[in-house]
Amino acid sequence: MARKNYSEEFRRQAVDLYESTPGATVGGIAEDLGIVRGTLRHWLEVYGTGKKTAADGTLTSSPLQSKKPSSASSSAPAGETPEQKIARLEARVDELENETTKLTTEREILQRAAKYFGRGDALVSRFQFVADNSATFEVKRLCELVEIERSSYYAWLKAAPAREARAAADAELAERIRAVHAEDNTCGAPRITAELNDNTAAGERVNHKRVARVMRLEGIRGYVKKRRVRTTIPEPSGQKYPDLLRRDFTAERPNERYVGDITYLPLADGTNLYLASVIDCYSRRLAGWAIADHMRTELVEDALKAAAATRGSLKGAIFHSDHGSVYCSKDYAKLCRKLGVTQSMGAVGSSADNALAESFNATMKREVLQDAACWSDEPTCRRQVFHWLVRYNTRRRHTWCGYLSPSTYEARRAATLPTAA
């Protein structure tokens, strides 16, 4: 915090408190008032009476009395000769000149210190001020005026080489972070940390808190978009299926449970493309997808067929969706039976019952569109969405997978899964 401007009344009251409190010490009173001892001593020199209340309550001479000239020193003693008067007045002039020099120096120091107090860390700014002016002024006086302890200043000064080393290391880390962020600007601190640690030796791994701190200082952040779009069109007359997942979007092995949904892909001319997805709950892998300029049943059928081609077979798997009209259609039910897929649906109007698919769609559009409201044209949309979907499986680090990509997660876990009888 910046140096306080104490009123004259406050200073006089502080002096009176010291002089009237039995057995009080300068250090004790200064600590009670939240000031440094040097400040209180200076006030005693200016405003003190030269008297002090001892521990037994008696009035005694202040131990600081010698630092304040008594009123008698400026008054002419009886029988003073002209020569003695001249000597006394010259001594008084010297005393006043010294006091003026002291106050002028103090004012100059505080004027220099003012620009330091507007910086981020007030305490560090005070230390830096003392270091920058120690060649001009006495360190002891500088510390008193900016209200820091000399021992703390010297400890800060001693640690300067270590701070410089940390700053250099942070600068080097910032460059590595920028390189990862330039490749994918949607990455936040956790995914960037995982990327950095995958490409360094074990002894050079970085902590995610340090990465987050450096990113914050350098103004580097993953893209965040706060917008919600409703994508489900319910079909009241369609077929209904029970909810077999009940918001449990996990699986013990691949190809057991899938979720899917349709999302809009808006174009600049006011039309839309549509993306249908089939996501494996085990690894969050996008097993199948389809993009079209319509929302007919063929769209979701193509996505499910693509998943069957990826896995070889979907027999025995569960596919969970919302109550969109295409998922409730007879043609889609027929395809599911043909592929050996059991359908599951959440409650009508509840996005939480299909939260995994909803989250996937939101992430895709947020990271691809970013600040844009729509894609410029259909070819651009198809190209960018395709690139993101492929990269999602093979490169994009997923929190569910321990910051591995879904494909890498499945490959590493394959050896640990028991072989089916």
Side-chain angles (χ1 to χ4, degrees), residues 235-242 323 328 345 348:
E235 177 53 66
S237 61
Q239 301 183 64
K240 303 297 188 295
Y241 298 92
H323 282 263
C328 295
M345 291 184 178
V348 176

Side-chain angles (χ1 to χ4, degrees), residues 67-110:
K67 296 185 179 181
K68 176 178 172 60
S70 64
S71 57
S73 65
S74 59
S75 60
E80 184 181 39
T81 66
E83 292 78 8
Q84 291 174 330
K85 181 177 181 180
I86 292 174
R88 177 176 56 78
L89 293 177
E90 287 178 346
R92 179 58 176 162
V93 168
D94 290 340
E95 182 182 345
L96 292 175
E97 286 179 348
N98 291 335
E99 184 67 22
T100 301
T101 301
K102 183 178 180 181
L103 293 175
T104 301
T105 302
E106 177 179 344
R107 183 177 62 215
E108 182 180 354
I109 292 173
L110 293 178

